[in-house]
Amino acid sequence: MVDEGEGNSPAFGCAAGAWSEQAVDHFLRSQRIEARDAAAVRWFHAANSKARAREAARSDVHMIEADVVLRGGQGGNGDPIMAHPPETDSDNTLQEWLKEIVNTDKGIKLDFKSLEAVRPSLELLEHVKHRLRRPVWINADILPGPSGSSSVVDAKGFVGTVTSFFPNVTLSLGWTTGWHPDKHNKGYDWVTVKEMAQICNTLPQPVTFPVRAALVRQSVSELCWLIQQSDRYTLTVWTGEEDVYSVEDLLYIRENFDKTRVYYDILEPQNSEFRKAIVA
C-alpha cells in the first residue's frame, strides 16, 4: 500500500506535503514559522473529544496530538475512538476526528496504546491521505523506560503494521516512563537508548523520540548520542500533568541539542514561559 502523500517516487522527493519531510521543514517552507527552529512548532495536546478537536482545528497551532483506542478498550473490537486509557468510550470516533482535521492546515500525531487499534485506524487514515499533505506522525511506546509501569506496544508488530501502510510516515517511538515527586527519578539509560537505536537503524523514514521533560536533563549524553545516529532522528519533549520541572530545565535541553531537532509539546504554564524565554 503506497501512500500518495508520502512522496515515494524520486521525482516527488520531499516536495510539498511529503510525509517523509521533517515537520520543521514543512512549516518553514509553508511560511508558518520564521526560522528553522523546531521549538517554533506549536502543539495542541489531547484533542480527543469533539469539543477539543474543534478547538484545536480553530487554534493557531501547527500540530494536533490525539489518542486512539478501540471502543471497549484493549481487546475490544469496536471502532477506533479518540480517548486516552483508562477511558474506553468517547463522543468522537477517529473517522469523525479526521473529517474535522483534514479541513485544516495542521499536522497530526496519533498516539496508540495498543497494537489492536493500529490497523483499523490506518485503514481510516488511508481514505483521507490525499487530503493530508502535511506532517503525519504515528506514535507508540515500544520499550520500557525509566520507572515505566504501563505495558508497551509490541515494537515489531507496531513498526511492521505502520510501514506496511505508509513506508515514509514519521514514526514517533517512545518508552513507557514514570515520575515520582518524592524520589530521585533516573533518566533514560544507555541500555534502553541503545535498544531503541537498534530497532530504528534500518528504518528509512523520519523517527522522533518522545522524551519526558523531567527526565531529559539527567539523560543528555545518552539522548545526544541517540539523535546523532541519523539525521532522520529528532526528539519531542513532552510532560506529565503532575511532573515538576522548570523552564530552566527546558532551556538546558535547548542549549544542549540542535535547535532544528527538538520539538516541545509541553503544558501550561511552562509552555508560555519557555516560549517567552527563547524569544527574549
Side-chain angles (χ1 to χ4, degrees), residues 11 19 34 36 46 73 75 94 101 104 117 142 164 175 181 190 231 250 276 279:
W19 285 6
E34 293 178 2
R36 195 165 184 266
L94 174 59
I101 304 305
T104 73
I142 60 168
S164 73
W175 299 264
W190 282 109
D231 59 9
L250 299 173
K276 269 186 212 156
V279 298

Side-chain angles (χ1 to χ4, degrees), residues 10-27:
F12 199 80
C14 268
W19 285 6
S20 54
E21 184 178 30
Q22 294 286 1
V24 68
D25 293 322
H26 170 84
F27 292 116

